[in-house]
Every structure is written in C-alpha cells, then in structure tokens.
Amino acid sequence: MKSKKKLVIANWKMNPVSLEEAKNIFNFTKKTAALLKNTEVLVLPPSIYLQPLSKISRPKNLFLGAQNSSAEEKGAFTGEVSVSMLKDLGLKFVLVGHSERRAMGEDNKIINKKLQASFEAGLTPILCIGENVRDKEGTHLEFLKEQIKNSITGLQKKHMVGMIIAYEPVWAIGKSYKEAMNPTDIHETVLFIKKSVGEFFGKDIASSIRILYGAAVESQNAKPVIEYGNVEGFLVGHASLKKEEFPEILKAIDSVK
Ligand code: PGA
C-alpha cells in the first residue's frame, strides 16, 4: 500500500447474510475502485467470505483484509482465527480493537497482544481507538491517551513507522452523517492523537502514522471530512454496503487532492 494515497476501509461487520450478496457488494466496490487515481480501498468482509472473494480478480488498489484475529498463535481457542491463517490466505491487513470487539470484552492488553502478533506475522494491523462519550471537561482526551498508550506499549519502533490508526468516536458509530463528528473537531483530535503517540514514541514516529476517521461517514460528509479533518482516509461501516452510497464516498475522497 503506497502511503501517499488515501485509504478507505469498508468494514462490512456481520453483513451481508449470503455469499451471493457479498459478491454483489464486492463487485460494485471493485468497479468504482478501478476508477480511482489517489485512493486505495480495503474491504473487510466476514471471515467466511474471505476465501471466495479472494478468488475474484480485482484492481491493484483494492485489497482484502480481516475484521479480527486471535492474539494466540494456534491451539484450543474455539471459534478463533489466527494471524498465520490470514497470512496463509494471502491477506496483509487486519483490523484490531474495533469498538464492537471492545464491547465484547477485548481490552487494551489483548489489543496490544494482537498488534504484536500481527506485526510478527508480517501483517499490517489497523488499530481502532475512540471515546464512548465527549464532555466539556475533556476527559475523553485522557481516555484516548490511555487507549493509545496501553495499546501500543512495548511495540517495536520499526513497526510503529507508518502505522495506521482509525479514530472512531463510538458515540457516532452507526449514525447518520448528521450526527458524525464535525471536521474541525476531527482535526483537533487527530493532532491530539499524534501528540500522544509522540509522547511515547517520539516526533518522527508520530508524524509518520496515518490516521483515518470512522463513524457515520456517508456520501454527504465524506468530502468535508477529508478536506478539513486532517485525516488520510476513512473507515466506513454501514455505508460501505450500499450501492448508492459507497461509490459516492470513494469518488468524493478521490476528488480531493
Ligand atoms: P459506521 O461504522 O460507518 O456505520 O458508523 C463505522 C465502524 O464501526 O467502523
């Protein structure tokens, strides 16, 4: 993945309910991706669809990745999928620490272990962070800093260079664009995230990381967020499944230099 390009991640979550529908969504995504000049697209389908979708030809700027992986290498972990299995399937990317996984009990310690495991397997993890609520006192900033510190602690510097972090304010996830965070607040939060990474890993690493915004990205707010939000791409949930929405988001982001 070339870091100069913007990145849009399609997080399908536990959708759609059939392989046929998954192929349809993948196909309209593929068609639009082929038209893009400045943007790479990473599709994260449910793991059961990864293999069949990987057999479909796709343009060079379209990638497939996993929504989750185990922190363990192999063994008695019913229902889990390891980073080596993802690697063996030819995948390069894995989402780590999405708020919906955190809500199922994943804490920063497990997330840290998953990041280590992904890097060691040669995968590129995308770390998700985000506060549940915001308040005027700014306690959400302390919360974010703690999340960052505890997720990346002990990682090797070489792995931190160019690391991808998806900032997703949890209170806006799944909502309409009208309830998304405004670009000015996103901009400020991105600066705060970089500053926090800098405190733990130094300025050079902080300026190398790529920050994406996620939560209620729809075709209506994609352009202002990329223009003024200080981010290098998006993590898109519900809108990534919609034929009338996702291609518009991709075209909007691609049109911004
Ligand atoms: P949303 O989800 O776009 O539906 O808000 C984003 C996410 O949870 O990654």
Side-chain angles (χ1 to χ4, degrees):
M1 214 169 252
K2 293 187 199 106
S3 62
K4 286 268 154 48
K5 297 204 170 186
K6 283 168 279 191
L7 172 63
V8 180
I9 304 179
N11 178 14
W12 291 4
K13 309 191 177 185
M14 201 168 71
N15 299 294
V17 296
S18 72
L19 176 60
E20 197 185 331
E21 265 183 275
K23 284 183 177 166
N24 288 338
I25 299 168
F26 193 68
N27 279 329
F28 73 67
T29 303
K30 180 179 138 169
K31 269 193 198 144
T32 314
L35 307 171
L36 307 175
K37 300 206 161 46
N38 310 307
T39 312
E40 294 179 317
V41 185
L42 169 60
V43 173
L44 310 178
S47 57
I48 195 164
Y49 301 143
L50 280 167
Q51 188 160 39
L53 293 182
S54 73
K55 301 259 188 306
I56 300 173
S57 69
R58 56 180 192 265
K60 276 202 190 96
N61 63 336
L62 178 59
F63 302 85
L64 276 169
Q67 297 174 11
N68 181 38
S69 62
S70 171
E72 307 296 335
E73 175 56 19
K74 61 176 180 175
F77 302 99
T78 302
E80 293 288 274
V81 170
S82 77
V83 284
S84 314
M85 294 170 190
L86 299 176
K87 186 99 199 290
D88 188 55
L89 207 60
L91 302 175
K92 295 194 175 72
F93 301 93
V94 58
L95 202 61
V96 177
H98 188 277
S99 64
E100 286 149 19
R101 305 261 357 140
R102 292 179 187 261
M104 287 175 224
E106 245 175 57
D107 60 15
N108 289 320
K109 214 171 155 194
I110 299 176
I111 287 160
N112 180 259
K113 210 172 160 192
K114 288 189 176 191
L115 289 173
Q116 310 252 23
S118 311
F119 281 127
E120 274 158 31
L123 294 179
T124 300
I126 296 111
L127 168 66
C128 299
I129 57 167
E131 76 281 2
N132 298 317
V133 285
R134 287 208 142 205
D135 57 36
K136 290 202 178 71
E137 289 74 44
T139 49
H140 56 276
L141 295 178
E142 276 315 302
F143 179 88
L144 272 178
K145 198 167 169 177
E146 275 299 297
Q147 254 189 355
I148 295 166
K149 180 175 139 202
N150 295 327
S151 313
I152 65 176
T153 183
L155 295 181
Q156 293 183 43
K157 267 199 166 186
K158 66 170 186 200
H159 291 147
M160 287 296 301
V161 180
M163 180 169 178
I164 307 173
I165 296 182
Y167 168 59
E168 299 203 291
V170 179
W171 47 268
I173 289 181
K175 304 268 175 67
S176 115
Y177 75 96
K178 293 180 192 139
E179 288 165 85
M181 203 169 182
N182 69 61
T184 315
D185 287 347
I186 295 172
H187 194 115
E188 275 176 15
T189 313
V190 169
L191 293 178
F192 178 80
I193 294 169
K194 291 209 170 182
K195 193 168 153 265
S196 304
V197 172
E199 279 176 35
F200 308 121
F201 278 94
K203 266 196 181 153
D204 288 353
I205 301 269
S207 57
S208 78
I209 59 170
R210 302 172 71 189
I211 302 186
L212 314 178
Y213 170 78
V217 175
E218 294 183 339
S219 55
Q220 291 91 337
N221 62 343
K223 201 161 177 184
V225 171
I226 204 74
E227 273 179 330
Y228 306 112
N230 193 22
V231 290
E232 295 183 53
F234 299 132
L235 176 49
V236 185
H238 64 275
S240 70
L241 301 160
K242 297 188 186 148
K243 198 175 181 174
E244 65 285 2
E245 276 284 317
F246 198 50
E248 294 310 313
I249 293 174
L250 293 176
K251 286 183 215 156
I253 193 169
D254 201 56
S255 70
V256 177
K257 288 275 145 51

